[in-house]
Amino acid sequence: QVQLAQSGGGLVQPGGSLRVSCAASGSPLEKYAVGWFRQAPGKGYEAIQCIATDGTYTTFAGFVKGRFTVSRDTAKNTVYLQMNSLKPEDTGVYYCAAETLLLPSCSDYSGDFTNWGQGTQVTVSS
């Protein structure tokens, strides 16, 4: 079973950048599809991007529009979500989630993932 610990995020002005990290322990992350989700206040999980075991990634959210990039550092056993040109509507709690049963593909459904990070607050405000 993999454990996920998130870091990064915080408060940023509109147009700024943030990187959220998802560090794994207990198992190599390259064995998992890792998805990023966000939850705005009062709303459900929204799929952003997912990186598959073969390193390819899928963008599910139309709002990304080239602003967000998911990547994986195998040596650090960490997956990152780099977010640029942030907007106030990007505010929310961001979660990483990992699942082996999706091999080799990804999913945009939060219910398919059984291993979750603790969540990281991202606030975009001037």
Side-chain angles (χ1 to χ4, degrees), residues 51-69:
I51 186 165
T53 56
D54 63 0
T56 60
Y57 70 89
T58 303
T59 298
F60 297 115
F63 62 77
V64 169
K65 295 181 179 179
R67 299 183 299 128
F68 295 4
T69 303

Side-chain angles (χ1 to χ4, degrees), residues 92-114:
V93 180
Y94 285 69
Y95 295 90
C96 63
E99 181 56 56
T100 57
L101 297 179
L102 299 172
L103 294 175
S105 302
C106 280
S107 171
D108 61 352
Y109 176 49
S110 60
D112 284 337
F113 293 83
T114 56

Side-chain angles (χ1 to χ4, degrees), residues 16-111:
S17 298
L18 282 175
R19 187 177 76 168
V20 184
S21 301
C22 177
S25 60
S27 187
L29 260 186
E30 62 261 32
K31 294 185 178 180
Y32 295 77
V34 179
W36 284 98
F37 296 82
R38 78 180 183 189
Q39 191 172 32
K43 297 187 177 180
Y45 292 112
E46 186 174 25
I48 304 172
Q49 289 180 320
C50 179
I51 186 165
T53 56
D54 63 0
T56 60
Y57 70 89
T58 303
T59 298
F60 297 115
F63 62 77
V64 169
K65 295 181 179 179
R67 299 183 299 128
F68 295 4
T69 303
V70 60
S71 63
R72 184 174 67 203
D73 187 329
T74 302
K76 295 183 178 180
N77 210 22
T78 300
V79 169
Y80 303 96
L81 182 67
Q82 176 68 44
M83 301 180 287
N84 301 322
S85 302
L86 284 161
K87 306 174 182 180
E89 51 265 42
D90 293 320
T91 294
V93 180
Y94 285 69
Y95 295 90
C96 63
E99 181 56 56
T100 57
L101 297 179
L102 299 172
L103 294 175
S105 302
C106 280
S107 171
D108 61 352
Y109 176 49
S110 60

